Amino acid sequence: MNTVTMKDGTQIFYKDWGHGTPVVFSHGWPLDADAWEAQMLFLVQKGYRVIAHDRRGHGRSSQSSEGNNMDTYADDLAALMNALDLKGAMMVGHSTGGGEVAHYIGRHGSKRVSKVVLIGAVPPIMLKTAANPGGLPMSVFDGIRAGVATNRSQFYKDLAVPFYGYNRQGVKVQQGVIDEFWREGMLGSIVGQYACIKEFSEVDYTPDLKKIDVPTLILHGDDDQIVPIDDSGRLSAKIIKNATLKVYPGAPHGMCTTQADLVNADLLAFLMAK
């Protein structure tokens, strides 16, 4: 397996396919790099180099009991990009991965980055606060913590249903998609995944968004039941300079899977844009 070893000994697994302009993918919680299969296959066939890693505590990376926080996630990603000496990369982040991409630029700048794509991403901040009255109450995230701690296997099977919009009338349930969500979730560490809940809910990425100085595309479904668009994608589009928001009518949080053809086409068009 391809891995890069961090300063604390944690090994970060990654996939690296193809040649040409690099596209770097950051996955959502509690998934891993396999969540990007539809996008990676499509773009590598179009002549691009595609790279995706498993965040520490997720997938095939080390199940570290330390460093399960966004500062370290961003630093791990920086170490990977430095090790591969990537230049002019387009960074793509889904959900928690969108926070990771934003925080990477906030901490490490955009010297290796040409463009950014945020898909159903958690920034600016998901938690309801005095400064963010449209956010979700802490009880929502405490419920996620309880689900992971008590029976994460069943919790992930249940979570996959609204994640992909399978609880909506007329939507055909794809059992294989649910099974894959569960498989990726259970491959990770309960310690790392539990700690990560705080990182996607309580971290305020507003300062990071203000530092993004490359063209940015924001894709978000207006039926996202996991990261509601009004308190995420729409706000991020107002904060990031030179950002374009594209709303997918009726699309769920897991739109990279359920609307893969549309997402792929938008990624390719953005890559090709001058």
Side-chain angles (χ1 to χ4, degrees), residues 177-199:
V177 172
I178 295 175
D179 292 346
E180 177 61 15
F181 183 96
W182 176 87
R183 184 193 70 83
E184 291 179 36
M186 293 306 293
L187 188 60
S189 158
I190 189 171
V191 171
Q193 291 174 350
Y194 186 92
C196 188
I197 297 167
K198 180 178 181 180
E199 305 309 305

Side-chain angles (χ1 to χ4, degrees), residues 4-25:
V4 172
T5 303
M6 302 296 110
K7 291 180 180 178
D8 66 353
T10 298
Q11 291 189 314
I12 300 298
F13 167 85
Y14 68 96
K15 305 178 184 184
D16 182 2
W17 303 334
H19 306 280
T21 301
V23 184
V24 179
F25 294 92

